[in-house]
Amino acid sequence: MTLSPTKCKNMVISTLRSLEDLQPLLSNNLPLETVSCHKGFGLILWDTLKWMENTNEIFTKTSKRLHILRVLKRAGVPSTDLICVYNTLVRSVLEYSSAVWATSLPRSLVDQIERIQKHAMRIPFPGHSTANATSLEIRRGTWGFAVLMFF
């Protein structure tokens, strides 16, 4: 198999502080560009395996989609339809590739993701408690197969 050096990148994931001893990867006798971050399939992967940038992108996407929920609520869309829209537009983004990143998130990022879910639930059900909702953390622990229960 031949690789195109203009289309390929090299990312070293290592806990070593110094990577000077590593030889550059070559393709057609040309060195591949070394990168510290790569986005592929909607997932941002850093060579340090930190997930802050990936989580920030999730927050940005879901904030925009929560606005869609608010507009639909003002238009008089029934709560059952709003739940369907939430599951389709917001929850799918919150849980996308969570099998990869969910176990290594710091508590502060987990709490931010939970706040997004609670905020989303207050849109179709204003004034109701969100205590009965299945948390995203629990669903991520079971790889997203639990059913979201609002009441």
mmCIF file of all heavy atoms in Angstrom, residues 2-40:
data_model
loop_
_atom_site.group_PDB
_atom_site.id
_atom_site.type_symbol
_atom_site.label_atom_id
_atom_site.label_comp_id
_atom_site.label_asym_id
_atom_site.label_seq_id
_atom_site.Cartn_x
_atom_site.Cartn_y
_atom_site.Cartn_z
ATOM 1 N N THR A 2 0.592 2.148 -0.855
ATOM 2 C CA THR A 2 1.341 3.399 -0.882
ATOM 3 C C THR A 2 0.481 4.508 -0.306
ATOM 4 O O THR A 2 -0.720 4.590 -0.563
ATOM 5 C CB THR A 2 1.762 3.774 -2.313
ATOM 6 O OG1 THR A 2 0.597 3.843 -3.118
ATOM 7 C CG2 THR A 2 2.733 2.757 -2.885
ATOM 8 N N LEU A 3 1.097 5.339 0.487
ATOM 9 C CA LEU A 3 0.416 6.462 1.119
ATOM 10 C C LEU A 3 0.802 7.755 0.432
ATOM 11 O O LEU A 3 1.947 7.922 0.003
ATOM 12 C CB LEU A 3 0.784 6.545 2.595
ATOM 13 C CG LEU A 3 0.469 5.331 3.460
ATOM 14 C CD1 LEU A 3 1.025 5.540 4.861
ATOM 15 C CD2 LEU A 3 -1.017 5.074 3.494
ATOM 16 N N SER A 4 -0.112 8.658 0.347
ATOM 17 C CA SER A 4 0.181 9.976 -0.202
ATOM 18 C C SER A 4 0.673 10.873 0.924
ATOM 19 O O SER A 4 -0.067 11.155 1.864
ATOM 20 C CB SER A 4 -1.079 10.563 -0.830
ATOM 21 O OG SER A 4 -0.849 11.904 -1.187
ATOM 22 N N PRO A 5 1.917 11.352 0.866
ATOM 23 C CA PRO A 5 2.448 12.169 1.961
ATOM 24 C C PRO A 5 1.723 13.499 2.125
ATOM 25 O O PRO A 5 1.757 14.091 3.193
ATOM 26 C CB PRO A 5 3.915 12.379 1.591
ATOM 27 C CG PRO A 5 4.070 11.948 0.191
ATOM 28 C CD PRO A 5 2.904 11.092 -0.169
ATOM 29 N N THR A 6 1.033 13.963 1.104
ATOM 30 C CA THR A 6 0.307 15.230 1.228
ATOM 31 C C THR A 6 -1.027 15.050 1.948
ATOM 32 O O THR A 6 -1.571 16.004 2.493
ATOM 33 C CB THR A 6 0.057 15.849 -0.154
ATOM 34 O OG1 THR A 6 -0.681 14.918 -0.953
ATOM 35 C CG2 THR A 6 1.366 16.200 -0.836
ATOM 36 N N LYS A 7 -1.551 13.831 1.953
ATOM 37 C CA LYS A 7 -2.842 13.574 2.585
ATOM 38 C C LYS A 7 -2.728 12.905 3.950
ATOM 39 O O LYS A 7 -3.705 12.817 4.676
ATOM 40 C CB LYS A 7 -3.706 12.692 1.684
ATOM 41 C CG LYS A 7 -4.079 13.340 0.379
ATOM 42 C CD LYS A 7 -4.943 12.419 -0.440
ATOM 43 C CE LYS A 7 -5.324 13.056 -1.755
ATOM 44 N NZ LYS A 7 -6.176 12.179 -2.555
ATOM 45 N N CYS A 8 -1.563 12.403 4.300
ATOM 46 C CA CYS A 8 -1.378 11.671 5.550
ATOM 47 C C CYS A 8 -0.730 12.564 6.603
ATOM 48 O O CYS A 8 0.069 13.439 6.291
ATOM 49 C CB CYS A 8 -0.506 10.442 5.323
ATOM 50 S SG CYS A 8 -1.269 9.228 4.252
ATOM 51 N N LYS A 9 -1.081 12.311 7.830
ATOM 52 C CA LYS A 9 -0.515 13.025 8.978
ATOM 53 C C LYS A 9 0.002 11.993 9.974
ATOM 54 O O LYS A 9 -0.439 10.861 10.008
ATOM 55 C CB LYS A 9 -1.576 13.889 9.668
ATOM 56 C CG LYS A 9 -2.349 14.804 8.754
ATOM 57 C CD LYS A 9 -1.652 16.104 8.576
ATOM 58 C CE LYS A 9 -2.555 17.071 7.842
ATOM 59 N NZ LYS A 9 -2.038 17.496 6.585
ATOM 60 N N ASN A 10 0.910 12.424 10.814
ATOM 61 C CA ASN A 10 1.480 11.581 11.852
ATOM 62 C C ASN A 10 1.144 12.206 13.198
ATOM 63 O O ASN A 10 1.397 13.387 13.414
ATOM 64 C CB ASN A 10 2.997 11.493 11.657
ATOM 65 C CG ASN A 10 3.682 10.745 12.765
ATOM 66 O OD1 ASN A 10 3.140 9.793 13.316
ATOM 67 N ND2 ASN A 10 4.875 11.175 13.108
ATOM 68 N N MET A 11 0.552 11.411 14.097
ATOM 69 C CA MET A 11 0.281 11.887 15.445
ATOM 70 C C MET A 11 0.801 10.834 16.415
ATOM 71 O O MET A 11 0.419 9.673 16.342
ATOM 72 C CB MET A 11 -1.219 12.125 15.696
ATOM 73 C CG MET A 11 -1.469 12.624 17.101
ATOM 74 S SD MET A 11 -3.112 13.260 17.492
ATOM 75 C CE MET A 11 -4.217 12.229 16.666
ATOM 76 N N VAL A 12 1.653 11.286 17.325
ATOM 77 C CA VAL A 12 2.244 10.386 18.311
ATOM 78 C C VAL A 12 1.500 10.580 19.626
ATOM 79 O O VAL A 12 1.467 11.684 20.172
ATOM 80 C CB VAL A 12 3.748 10.680 18.506
ATOM 81 C CG1 VAL A 12 4.329 9.766 19.568
ATOM 82 C CG2 VAL A 12 4.482 10.536 17.191
ATOM 83 N N ILE A 13 0.879 9.525 20.102
ATOM 84 C CA ILE A 13 0.185 9.552 21.389
ATOM 85 C C ILE A 13 1.108 8.866 22.385
ATOM 86 O O ILE A 13 1.328 7.660 22.296
ATOM 87 C CB ILE A 13 -1.178 8.857 21.306
ATOM 88 C CG1 ILE A 13 -2.057 9.588 20.294
ATOM 89 C CG2 ILE A 13 -1.833 8.790 22.671
ATOM 90 C CD1 ILE A 13 -3.370 8.931 20.011
ATOM 91 N N SER A 14 1.636 9.667 23.295
ATOM 92 C CA SER A 14 2.631 9.133 24.209
ATOM 93 C C SER A 14 2.632 9.934 25.504
ATOM 94 O O SER A 14 2.287 11.110 25.522
ATOM 95 C CB SER A 14 4.013 9.216 23.558
ATOM 96 O OG SER A 14 5.011 8.836 24.475
ATOM 97 N N THR A 15 3.042 9.275 26.582
ATOM 98 C CA THR A 15 3.181 9.967 27.861
ATOM 99 C C THR A 15 4.600 10.479 28.055
ATOM 100 O O THR A 15 4.887 11.121 29.055
ATOM 101 C CB THR A 15 2.830 9.023 29.027
ATOM 102 O OG1 THR A 15 3.672 7.872 28.947
ATOM 103 C CG2 THR A 15 1.369 8.617 28.958
ATOM 104 N N LEU A 16 5.485 10.200 27.119
ATOM 105 C CA LEU A 16 6.859 10.682 27.205
ATOM 106 C C LEU A 16 6.900 12.195 27.018
ATOM 107 O O LEU A 16 6.179 12.742 26.177
ATOM 108 C CB LEU A 16 7.736 10.023 26.140
ATOM 109 C CG LEU A 16 7.880 8.506 26.213
ATOM 110 C CD1 LEU A 16 8.669 8.003 25.022
ATOM 111 C CD2 LEU A 16 8.546 8.111 27.510
ATOM 112 N N ARG A 17 7.726 12.860 27.779
ATOM 113 C CA ARG A 17 7.851 14.311 27.653
ATOM 114 C C ARG A 17 8.677 14.698 26.430
ATOM 115 O O ARG A 17 8.443 15.715 25.814
ATOM 116 C CB ARG A 17 8.456 14.906 28.911
ATOM 117 C CG ARG A 17 7.564 14.776 30.108
ATOM 118 C CD ARG A 17 8.115 15.582 31.262
ATOM 119 N NE ARG A 17 7.327 15.346 32.445
ATOM 120 C CZ ARG A 17 6.366 16.139 32.856
ATOM 121 N NH1 ARG A 17 6.082 17.223 32.187
ATOM 122 N NH2 ARG A 17 5.693 15.859 33.953
ATOM 123 N N SER A 18 9.638 13.885 26.092
ATOM 124 C CA SER A 18 10.516 14.180 24.968
ATOM 125 C C SER A 18 10.360 13.096 23.904
ATOM 126 O O SER A 18 10.511 11.911 24.187
ATOM 127 C CB SER A 18 11.969 14.249 25.430
ATOM 128 O OG SER A 18 12.808 14.427 24.316
ATOM 129 N N LEU A 19 10.064 13.520 22.696
ATOM 130 C CA LEU A 19 9.903 12.575 21.593
ATOM 131 C C LEU A 19 11.017 12.741 20.566
ATOM 132 O O LEU A 19 10.854 12.399 19.406
ATOM 133 C CB LEU A 19 8.537 12.786 20.927
ATOM 134 C CG LEU A 19 7.332 12.615 21.832
ATOM 135 C CD1 LEU A 19 6.062 12.986 21.091
ATOM 136 C CD2 LEU A 19 7.245 11.199 22.344
ATOM 137 N N GLU A 20 12.155 13.282 21.006
ATOM 138 C CA GLU A 20 13.260 13.558 20.091
ATOM 139 C C GLU A 20 13.860 12.282 19.511
ATOM 140 O O GLU A 20 14.452 12.306 18.434
ATOM 141 C CB GLU A 20 14.330 14.367 20.808
ATOM 142 C CG GLU A 20 13.846 15.728 21.231
ATOM 143 C CD GLU A 20 14.830 16.431 22.160
ATOM 144 O OE1 GLU A 20 15.900 15.847 22.439
ATOM 145 O OE2 GLU A 20 14.510 17.540 22.592
ATOM 146 N N ASP A 21 13.753 11.167 20.212
ATOM 147 C CA ASP A 21 14.367 9.919 19.757
ATOM 148 C C ASP A 21 13.570 9.231 18.645
ATOM 149 O O ASP A 21 14.065 8.291 18.033
ATOM 150 C CB ASP A 21 14.519 8.950 20.927
ATOM 151 C CG ASP A 21 15.443 9.489 22.000
ATOM 152 O OD1 ASP A 21 16.263 10.371 21.677
ATOM 153 O OD2 ASP A 21 15.337 9.038 23.142
ATOM 154 N N LEU A 22 12.373 9.685 18.403
ATOM 155 C CA LEU A 22 11.546 9.042 17.384
ATOM 156 C C LEU A 22 11.955 9.496 15.987
ATOM 157 O O LEU A 22 12.154 10.681 15.734
ATOM 158 C CB LEU A 22 10.071 9.368 17.615
ATOM 159 C CG LEU A 22 9.462 8.849 18.906
ATOM 160 C CD1 LEU A 22 8.033 9.338 19.039
ATOM 161 C CD2 LEU A 22 9.497 7.333 18.945
ATOM 162 N N GLN A 23 12.057 8.553 15.100
ATOM 163 C CA GLN A 23 12.371 8.860 13.715
ATOM 164 C C GLN A 23 11.104 9.313 13.003
ATOM 165 O O GLN A 23 10.011 8.796 13.263
ATOM 166 C CB GLN A 23 12.935 7.609 13.015
ATOM 167 C CG GLN A 23 14.218 7.098 13.623
ATOM 168 C CD GLN A 23 15.349 8.094 13.443
ATOM 169 O OE1 GLN A 23 15.439 8.750 12.420
ATOM 170 N NE2 GLN A 23 16.186 8.216 14.459
ATOM 171 N N PRO A 24 11.193 10.253 12.088
ATOM 172 C CA PRO A 24 9.993 10.676 11.359
ATOM 173 C C PRO A 24 9.495 9.571 10.439
ATOM 174 O O PRO A 24 10.286 8.808 9.883
ATOM 175 C CB PRO A 24 10.464 11.897 10.563
ATOM 176 C CG PRO A 24 11.942 11.748 10.466
ATOM 177 C CD PRO A 24 12.381 10.985 11.680
ATOM 178 N N LEU A 25 8.191 9.494 10.309
ATOM 179 C CA LEU A 25 7.610 8.523 9.381
ATOM 180 C C LEU A 25 7.761 9.053 7.964
ATOM 181 O O LEU A 25 7.558 10.240 7.701
ATOM 182 C CB LEU A 25 6.137 8.306 9.691
ATOM 183 C CG LEU A 25 5.818 7.590 10.994
ATOM 184 C CD1 LEU A 25 4.305 7.487 11.173
ATOM 185 C CD2 LEU A 25 6.434 6.208 11.026
ATOM 186 N N LEU A 26 8.109 8.154 7.060
ATOM 187 C CA LEU A 26 8.329 8.541 5.677
ATOM 188 C C LEU A 26 7.344 7.826 4.773
ATOM 189 O O LEU A 26 6.989 6.675 4.996
ATOM 190 C CB LEU A 26 9.757 8.190 5.242
ATOM 191 C CG LEU A 26 10.903 8.812 6.027
ATOM 192 C CD1 LEU A 26 12.229 8.245 5.550
ATOM 193 C CD2 LEU A 26 10.880 10.313 5.898
ATOM 194 N N SER A 27 6.935 8.533 3.735
ATOM 195 C CA SER A 27 6.121 7.940 2.679
ATOM 196 C C SER A 27 6.687 8.463 1.365
ATOM 197 O O SER A 27 6.756 9.683 1.148
ATOM 198 C CB SER A 27 4.657 8.339 2.830
ATOM 199 O OG SER A 27 3.911 7.839 1.756
ATOM 200 N N ASN A 28 7.097 7.574 0.504
ATOM 201 C CA ASN A 28 7.772 7.950 -0.749
ATOM 202 C C ASN A 28 9.000 8.816 -0.476
ATOM 203 O O ASN A 28 9.251 9.808 -1.156
ATOM 204 C CB ASN A 28 6.815 8.665 -1.703
ATOM 205 C CG ASN A 28 5.653 7.804 -2.116
ATOM 206 O OD1 ASN A 28 5.761 6.583 -2.139
ATOM 207 N ND2 ASN A 28 4.537 8.429 -2.429
ATOM 208 N N ASN A 29 9.712 8.483 0.588
ATOM 209 C CA ASN A 29 10.922 9.194 1.024
ATOM 210 C C ASN A 29 10.652 10.642 1.435
ATOM 211 O O ASN A 29 11.556 11.455 1.468
ATOM 212 C CB ASN A 29 12.018 9.136 -0.039
ATOM 213 C CG ASN A 29 12.553 7.738 -0.205
ATOM 214 O OD1 ASN A 29 12.646 6.991 0.764
ATOM 215 N ND2 ASN A 29 12.889 7.372 -1.427
ATOM 216 N N LEU A 30 9.408 10.964 1.729
ATOM 217 C CA LEU A 30 9.048 12.292 2.238
ATOM 218 C C LEU A 30 8.500 12.133 3.648
ATOM 219 O O LEU A 30 7.698 11.236 3.911
ATOM 220 C CB LEU A 30 7.986 12.956 1.348
ATOM 221 C CG LEU A 30 8.404 13.286 -0.082
ATOM 222 C CD1 LEU A 30 7.200 13.736 -0.879
ATOM 223 C CD2 LEU A 30 9.476 14.365 -0.072
ATOM 224 N N PRO A 31 8.909 13.014 4.582
ATOM 225 C CA PRO A 31 8.398 12.892 5.957
ATOM 226 C C PRO A 31 6.930 13.319 6.032
ATOM 227 O O PRO A 31 6.501 14.253 5.363
ATOM 228 C CB PRO A 31 9.300 13.833 6.761
ATOM 229 C CG PRO A 31 9.810 14.808 5.768
ATOM 230 C CD PRO A 31 9.880 14.096 4.447
ATOM 231 N N LEU A 32 6.170 12.595 6.844
ATOM 232 C CA LEU A 32 4.778 12.968 7.073
ATOM 233 C C LEU A 32 4.715 14.105 8.087
ATOM 234 O O LEU A 32 5.513 14.160 9.025
ATOM 235 C CB LEU A 32 3.987 11.771 7.605
ATOM 236 C CG LEU A 32 3.857 10.562 6.687
ATOM 237 C CD1 LEU A 32 3.049 9.475 7.373
ATOM 238 C CD2 LEU A 32 3.216 10.934 5.373
ATOM 239 N N GLU A 33 3.771 14.989 7.890
ATOM 240 C CA GLU A 33 3.582 16.103 8.818
ATOM 241 C C GLU A 33 3.131 15.561 10.172
ATOM 242 O O GLU A 33 2.215 14.747 10.254
ATOM 243 C CB GLU A 33 2.524 17.057 8.276
ATOM 244 C CG GLU A 33 2.206 18.208 9.188
ATOM 245 C CD GLU A 33 1.035 19.043 8.690
ATOM 246 O OE1 GLU A 33 0.473 18.735 7.629
ATOM 247 O OE2 GLU A 33 0.679 19.998 9.398
ATOM 248 N N THR A 34 3.770 16.017 11.246
ATOM 249 C CA THR A 34 3.400 15.614 12.599
ATOM 250 C C THR A 34 2.432 16.631 13.166
ATOM 251 O O THR A 34 2.690 17.837 13.131
ATOM 252 C CB THR A 34 4.646 15.513 13.500
ATOM 253 O OG1 THR A 34 5.535 14.546 12.920
ATOM 254 C CG2 THR A 34 4.271 15.068 14.899
ATOM 255 N N VAL A 35 1.284 16.147 13.654
ATOM 256 C CA VAL A 35 0.250 17.019 14.211
ATOM 257 C C VAL A 35 -0.024 16.621 15.656
ATOM 258 O O VAL A 35 0.231 15.491 16.066
ATOM 259 C CB VAL A 35 -1.054 16.953 13.383
ATOM 260 C CG1 VAL A 35 -0.837 17.479 11.971
ATOM 261 C CG2 VAL A 35 -1.613 15.550 13.329
ATOM 262 N N SER A 36 -0.554 17.551 16.426
ATOM 263 C CA SER A 36 -0.914 17.245 17.812
ATOM 264 C C SER A 36 -2.411 17.045 17.967
ATOM 265 O O SER A 36 -2.869 16.579 19.001
ATOM 266 C CB SER A 36 -0.441 18.361 18.741
ATOM 267 O OG SER A 36 -1.052 19.573 18.355
ATOM 268 N N CYS A 37 -3.198 17.398 16.932
ATOM 269 C CA CYS A 37 -4.651 17.294 16.998
ATOM 270 C C CYS A 37 -5.170 16.868 15.631
ATOM 271 O O CYS A 37 -4.651 17.285 14.599
ATOM 272 C CB CYS A 37 -5.224 18.655 17.396
ATOM 273 S SG CYS A 37 -7.009 18.731 17.373
ATOM 274 N N HIS A 38 -6.219 16.035 15.649
ATOM 275 C CA HIS A 38 -6.845 15.615 14.399
ATOM 276 C C HIS A 38 -8.341 15.433 14.617
ATOM 277 O O HIS A 38 -8.757 14.879 15.628
ATOM 278 C CB HIS A 38 -6.235 14.309 13.894
ATOM 279 C CG HIS A 38 -6.865 13.817 12.636
ATOM 280 N ND1 HIS A 38 -6.676 14.438 11.423
ATOM 281 C CD2 HIS A 38 -7.704 12.793 12.397
ATOM 282 C CE1 HIS A 38 -7.358 13.800 10.491
ATOM 283 N NE2 HIS A 38 -7.998 12.794 11.065
ATOM 284 N N LYS A 39 -9.119 15.917 13.660
ATOM 285 C CA LYS A 39 -10.565 15.721 13.717
ATOM 286 C C LYS A 39 -10.955 14.728 12.634
ATOM 287 O O LYS A 39 -10.683 14.926 11.459
ATOM 288 C CB LYS A 39 -11.307 17.036 13.503
ATOM 289 C CG LYS A 39 -12.808 16.876 13.584
ATOM 290 C CD LYS A 39 -13.529 18.198 13.451
ATOM 291 C CE LYS A 39 -15.019 17.990 13.570
ATOM 292 N NZ LYS A 39 -15.747 19.252 13.470
ATOM 293 N N GLY A 40 -11.570 13.652 13.069
ATOM 294 C CA GLY A 40 -12.023 12.640 12.132
ATOM 295 C C GLY A 40 -13.324 12.034 12.608
ATOM 296 O O GLY A 40 -13.484 11.742 13.786
#
